[in-house]
Amino acid sequence: MDMKSTQQKVVLSPVELQRVDAWWRAANYLSVGQIFLFDNPLLKRPLALTDVKRMLLGHWGTTPGQNFIYAHLNRVIVKYDLDMIFISGPGHGGPAVVANTYLEGSYSEIYPDISQDEAGLQKLFLQFSFPGGIPSHASPECPGSIHEGGELGYSLSHAFGAAFDNPELIVACVIGDGEAETGPLATAWHSNKFLDPRGDGAVLPILHLNGYKIANPTLLARIPREELEQLLRGYGWTPLFVAGHEPALMHDAMARALETAVAQIRTIRREARLQDNPTRPRWPMIVLESPKGWTGPKIVDGKQVEGTFRAHQVPLHPGAKPGHLQLLEDWLRSYRPEELFDQNGRLKTDIADLAPRGTRRMGANPHANGGLLLRDLRLPDFRDYAVDVPTHGAPGAGDTRALGPFLRDVVALNQDLRNFRMFGPDETASNGLGALFETTARQWDAATIPGDESLAPAGRVIDSMLSEHQCEGWLEGYLLTGRHGLFNCYEAFIHIIDSMFNQHAKWLKVTAKLPWRREIASLNYLLASHVWRQDHNGFSHQDPGFIDHVVNKKADVVRVYLPPDANCLLSVMDHCLRSRHYVNVVIAGKHPAPQWLSMPVAENHCAAGIGIWQWASNDAGESPDVVMACCGDVPTLETLAAVSILREYLPDLKVRVVNVVDLMKLQPPSAHPHGLSDADFDAIFTTRSPVIFAFHGYPTLIHRLTYRRTNHANIHVRGYQEEGTITTPFDMTVLNELDRFHLAMSALDHLPHLGNAGMQLRILLSERLRAHRRYICQYGEDMPEIREWKWRAATTRAGNS
Ligand SMILES: Cc1ncc(C[n+]2csc(CCOP(=O)(O)OP(=O)(O)O)c2C)c(N)n1
């Protein structure tokens, strides 16, 4: 394909030019109508103040540019029968996506009430940014959207996530030039190094260079064109520039750019696939330089609006400013609605013909309603990967290391379906999941040199970019388009995507209530390399606070699991990979650690989510003197060690051991669907015995989850207290008073009736803590009694619950 000659051709016939311009005017008219009009949708009578909404909300500035893009994409979709979806990076331009999906008919198919006639138009306008109506953004309610765009920065990574494993798909992604300044977007340009042109789809970024943000110019608009071009080329793209403001010229320029882009994409695909050539191509992209608030009011109250930041939101206020009503009417009439809609308010047929048909319409493309395409994962039987646990406390090689082979086989079983991917910021091997590379590679389309490991143009793992933002964005895009995946990350650094998690959780909450939006696979996090075992890294890598952040979200959406050992981790992960429409957070260790439960027991324990470990307790049939509760692998180990001390030195003491896998069990059922009833909670935690609760994360969270429970005043939680450094594993627990000695002391503190026996043990425990300090300072490792500790009642078989 001679790309140069394509660029020279005039591509729009007069009829096409007229049609695409009319569509654009119609979309602009509908956008202005949505922001302003309460009534009189077709301007059949002069505009009155009563026709205008009282509260004017929304964003005009970005909207006409997005309408322009959508109209032109429609043309090429039809011409080349393209499978395309639209991602609105500046999703605050909600009027644009709503207007276009309405014009193409997909909106009314989903919301028949918003019909394609005058009555429907009136409702369309009224509902926008109106109580009981729809939000002002490209919200989940909007067909064709997989991206809200309210929080800027994620469009391009979502687009790539959608493109992976969708070889025929083109994801058109509008990127705001302000959005392009955000960290996540700025790194997302590199995503092109992870796309395999043979098996993945294409992303067509359209940088919307309208020059301004809310109140400032954008950087990319204020550097020389040459510098911008070099920047984008430096990221490996071929930028095609479309610049100007005169509609007819801009239509032709945009049509030409799109012809070129589509031709390049088709050529790249053809060559890559025919020749099985995975070499990284230079994908095309478009830079659309057009005025902010294009076609809107030029000057308002003596100030330039079109082409400035003043066009960002609502440029007119008819209720408050004299003269604005007339400006609004002139503006609306400038689109010549009578040429666009018939007397009944229906888009004229020759204009409507611009729209693709059926599921080729971007508002009806099933990729943008991923649940429609979702197929169950084929999962091997997780029991086949069980770790042998002949006795409670048998040594384990590292819990995530036991999970690795299971995930490896999930990859293998779904290889031909191409619907499962693992993402991570350079940590898959470090997190103990190296077994994956026995069956797959890291997908990487940049150069390789001898000595590289597990890099290939196609692979199920994408973990070669050190960007938590990209991993999250890619995975979200992948899930939203109907596939499955898992994000493995260091616990401390998952905080980097706190805000992205927020947005995804909000999306899940809203879409769960939209019957036409089908459920998608859950977003699964595996947080290995957790707070308690940062032997190499120390304080900077110690932060278990993501859990606190996650539980702020709607209970219907979030789940948090802390499996105490490998068999529990396998059972939990199997459950998470089967689940739908949740965010599952799984926290597990990768270091050698004792194993507690045989697989059948682990499975039951995980299904219950919480349970009394009878084999570690000695309160059978009686009310315990103390409940020793634990949640997390390290807290479980320390709790069992504390229990063995208590039972050895105070054999008459009745100790109950409770382990929590599913953190949400602690909440009342009114707060979370997993919550234990008060009766069940009381049966486990008693209504009066002291509870010493060893928790993986910050202690306040346990209080927050249990504060309504009868025995809350007796629940004493130990967890991470923000004490950390490079030290021995056991010392980490000592620094935070989560170690066995402190836990046992805490129990004694709440058992005053033990009198002298308790006091004697307390002295001994204090002495062990001093011995610990002396030893680690002398030898640089934990005391043998810690390193070699074994569960004392080791005669109990792990098959016993
Ligand atoms: C992460 C984030 N920071 C700040 C904002 C507030 N905000 C909303 S729109 C906007 C300007 C966006 O500019 P641009 O991406 O160029 O979009 P456009 O000019 O097309 O509206 C800002 C800063 C936001 N939505 N998201």
Side-chain angles (χ1 to χ4, degrees):
M1 160 72 56
D2 178 357
M3 285 151 193
K4 259 210 166 116
S5 66
T6 315
Q7 271 194 317
Q8 300 317 317
K9 274 189 239 161
V10 173
V11 287
L12 289 181
S13 69
V15 173
E16 278 179 321
L17 173 64
Q18 195 277 332
R19 184 178 291 146
V20 89
D21 184 67
W23 181 286
W24 183 42
R25 283 190 282 126
N28 285 341
Y29 180 82
L30 296 188
S31 302
V32 185
Q34 288 177 77
I35 296 172
F36 287 96
L37 292 188
F38 186 75
D39 202 355
N40 195 10
L42 287 170
L43 293 183
K44 285 187 173 166
R45 50 185 160 76
L47 195 66
L49 212 47
T50 47
D51 294 330
V52 179
K53 294 180 187 175
R54 296 190 183 183
M55 265 173 71
L56 297 175
L57 306 166
H59 297 81
W60 163 247
T62 186
T63 299
Q66 295 198 44
N67 287 336
F68 182 82
I69 294 165
Y70 206 103
H72 279 269
L73 293 175
N74 275 345
R75 190 188 71 82
V76 286
I77 292 173
V78 172
K79 181 167 175 187
Y80 297 103
D81 189 27
L82 302 178
D83 190 6
M84 184 179 274
I85 60 171
F86 183 84
I87 293 190
S88 168
H92 46 273
V97 279
V98 173
N100 282 284
T101 50
Y102 177 80
L103 289 175
E104 71 187 17
S106 49
Y107 203 91
S108 304
E109 281 166 23
I110 288 172
Y111 304 110
D113 204 31
I114 311 288
S115 45
Q116 290 187 301
D117 54 22
E118 186 171 358
L121 267 183
Q122 203 264 336
K123 287 182 193 148
L124 180 84
F125 291 175
L126 185 69
Q127 66 164 5
F128 179 80
S129 278
F130 203 79
I134 60 166
S136 68
H137 290 176
S139 63
E141 288 87 344
C142 182
S145 178
I146 61 162
H147 174 92
E148 222 269 2
E151 183 167 297
L152 297 165
Y154 316 133
S155 59
L156 195 51
S157 19
H158 283 166
F160 274 89
F164 290 130
D165 296 317
N166 271 326
E168 300 314 315
L169 189 66
I170 300 179
V171 186
C173 179
V174 183
I175 299 161
D177 48 357
E179 183 193 12
E181 294 171 9
T182 64
L185 200 296
T187 50
W189 296 112
H190 275 309
S191 305
N192 54 13
K193 283 91 191 175
F194 297 92
L195 206 67
D196 177 3
R198 298 165 306 170
D200 295 325
V203 173
L204 176 62
I206 302 167
L207 176 63
H208 190 197
L209 204 67
N210 63 13
Y212 293 92
K213 304 183 283 265
I214 297 177
N216 274 289
T218 60
L219 290 167
L220 297 184
R222 297 294 176 93
I223 57 175
R225 161 79 67 88
E226 186 198 10
E227 216 172 301
L228 176 59
E229 186 167 353
Q230 284 169 348
L231 179 76
L232 297 170
R233 283 191 183 280
Y235 277 119
W237 297 90
T238 301
L240 303 162
F241 285 83
V242 176
H245 61 88
E246 209 287 300
L249 296 178
M250 287 293 277
H251 283 309
D252 209 52
M254 186 67 177
R256 258 185 281 145
L258 271 176
E259 289 288 334
T260 307
V262 170
Q264 289 186 7
I265 289 171
R266 286 156 61 103
T267 305
I268 288 168
R269 280 180 171 172
R270 197 171 46 245
E271 287 176 0
R273 292 171 196 180
L274 279 179
Q275 296 155 22
D276 193 26
N277 178 4
T279 312
R280 178 166 65 91
R282 261 187 185 276
W283 294 96
M285 63 166 290
I286 291 174
V287 180
L288 173 64
E289 191 178 339
S290 62
K292 188 151 183 169
W294 197 9
T295 72
K298 295 200 171 8
I299 294 175
V300 179
D301 301 335
K303 291 206 165 125
Q304 180 71 28
V305 170
E306 189 194 32
T308 76
F309 65 89
R310 292 184 199 93
H312 183 69
Q313 287 189 344
V314 180
L316 297 176
H317 296 278
K321 299 274 182 79
H324 283 210
L325 185 67
Q326 191 56 52
L327 284 177
L328 177 58
E329 181 160 2
D330 294 348
W331 178 12
L332 283 161
R333 290 198 190 280
S334 74
Y335 299 120
R336 306 193 296 282
E338 64 288 351
E339 291 177 14
L340 309 172
F341 302 97
D342 66 19
Q343 268 302 306
N344 299 323
R346 202 179 170 87
L347 185 68
K348 292 196 172 162
T349 326
D350 53 330
I351 308 171
D353 278 348
L354 185 76
R357 299 275 171 265
T359 52
R360 286 300 197 220
R361 292 170 300 171
M362 291 191 283
N365 191 311
H367 292 292
N369 185 5
L372 286 173
L373 303 175
L374 185 65
R375 296 180 60 180
D376 288 347
L377 269 183
R378 296 179 192 141
L379 291 172
D381 189 340
F382 66 93
R383 300 167 194 90
D384 294 345
Y385 303 82
V387 167
D388 188 26
V389 186
T391 55
H392 300 292
D399 297 350
T400 57
R401 288 171 214 285
L403 182 69
F406 172 72
L407 293 175
R408 173 198 64 205
D409 294 349
V410 175
V411 163
L413 278 175
N414 296 281
Q415 197 78 263
D416 56 331
L417 290 177
R418 299 174 60 89
N419 64 347
F420 178 73
R421 281 187 185 265
M422 297 272 309
F423 298 88
D426 188 28
E427 291 164 7
T428 307
S430 167
N431 283 332
L433 303 174
L436 279 156
F437 301 121
E438 293 164 19
T439 197
T440 190
R442 302 177 159 104
Q443 185 153 318
W444 166 268
D445 210 17
T448 52
I449 59 169
D452 288 340
E453 274 185 17
S454 308
L455 296 178
R460 295 285 102 196
V461 176
I462 302 193
D463 86 332
S464 304
M465 184 167 178
L466 205 177
S467 169
E468 284 76 6
H469 287 121
Q470 298 321 310
C471 296
E472 174 78 15
W474 291 332
L475 175 56
E476 287 178 8
Y478 200 64
L479 299 174
L480 287 161
T481 47
R483 284 77 65 75
H484 306 259
L486 177 63
F487 180 0
N488 76 93
C489 189
Y490 283 12
E491 185 182 28
F493 302 139
I494 195 69
H495 269 307
I496 291 168
I497 57 79
D498 275 4
S499 213
M500 296 179 81
F501 151 80
N502 277 346
Q503 298 301 328
H504 190 76
K506 285 171 194 282
W507 183 278
L508 294 178
K509 172 188 181 280
V510 176
T511 51
K513 303 244 156 43
L514 298 172
W516 63 272
R517 284 251 183 216
R518 297 299 157 78
E519 286 192 323
I520 59 171
S522 300
L523 198 174
N524 299 309
Y525 296 101
L526 174 63
L527 306 184
S529 304
H530 62 53
V531 55
W532 298 107
R533 293 304 306 269
Q534 287 298 338
D535 312 1
H536 285 283
N537 299 303
F539 198 35
S540 62
H541 286 50
Q542 290 156 352
D543 194 309
F546 187 63
I547 315 174
D548 300 67
H549 179 66
V550 163
V551 301
N552 289 333
K553 285 287 159 276
K554 275 285 174 196
D556 288 347
V557 170
V558 293
R559 308 284 186 265
V560 181
Y561 299 101
L562 293 113
D565 69 4
N567 286 337
C568 290
L569 174 60
L570 282 159
S571 169
V572 161
M573 190 53 72
D574 175 77
H575 174 78
C576 293
L577 292 177
R578 290 174 195 279
S579 74
R580 296 283 183 269
H581 232 69
Y582 298 147
V583 175
N584 296 309
V585 181
V586 181
I587 300 168
K590 65 180 181 184
H591 292 280
Q595 302 296 303
W596 308 110
L597 306 182
S598 67
M599 184 52 94
V601 180
E603 205 180 336
N604 282 339
H605 182 50
C606 293
I610 185 171
I612 299 172
W613 281 3
Q614 300 289 4
W615 54 268
S617 313
N618 65 346
D619 66 326
E622 292 182 60
S623 133
D625 296 314
V626 62
V627 177
M628 300 294 285
C630 46
C631 181
D633 59 347
V634 169
T636 300
L637 165 61
E638 290 308 313
T639 295
L640 287 170
V643 167
S644 66
I645 295 170
L646 290 172
R647 285 181 54 185
E648 181 181 346
Y649 288 90
L650 303 166
D652 294 335
L653 190 71
K654 304 228 162 354
V655 182
R656 173 180 293 178
V657 176
V658 172
N659 182 267
V660 181
V661 180
D662 175 353
L663 195 60
M664 299 296 110
K665 288 282 168 193
L666 297 179
Q667 297 200 71
S670 55
H672 195 282
H674 287 189
L676 286 182
S677 69
D678 280 339
D680 288 344
F681 188 93
D682 293 349
I684 292 175
F685 289 99
T686 79
T687 52
R688 27 193 295 191
S689 302
V691 178
I692 310 303
F693 198 122
F695 179 47
H696 172 91
Y698 291 103
T700 47
L701 179 57
I702 299 301
H703 289 300
R704 188 172 139 198
L705 299 176
T706 59
Y707 83 100
R708 286 191 224 161
R709 302 296 193 175
T710 319
N711 201 22
H712 178 235
N714 270 327
I715 298 182
H716 310 284
V717 189
R718 289 179 177 259
Y720 185 61
Q721 298 178 28
E722 206 61 21
E723 290 296 336
T725 179
I726 290 226
T727 187
T728 67
F730 181 66
D731 194 45
M732 262 304 290
T733 63
V734 174
L735 291 176
N736 290 280
E737 303 185 346
L738 182 79
D739 60 283
R740 57 201 67 183
F741 303 131
H742 278 101
L743 291 176
M745 281 157 107
S746 182
L748 298 177
D749 288 347
H750 297 93
L751 296 167
H753 69 272
L754 292 172
N756 198 35
M759 231 121 73
Q760 291 300 322
L761 180 53
R762 203 168 209 296
I763 291 167
L764 189 130
L765 294 171
S766 302
E767 182 349 74
R768 291 325 297 146
L769 280 169
R770 284 193 294 277
H772 155 74
R773 175 88 17 229
R774 283 193 301 273
Y775 190 93
I776 63 164
C777 290
Q778 188 172 358
Y779 297 105
E781 65 171 354
D782 286 321
M783 299 186 291
E785 72 179 73
I786 302 294
R787 282 184 281 122
E788 290 156 21
W789 178 84
K790 294 232 162 33
W791 169 245
R792 287 289 169 97
T795 45
T796 55
R797 298 229 8 112
N800 302 340
S801 57

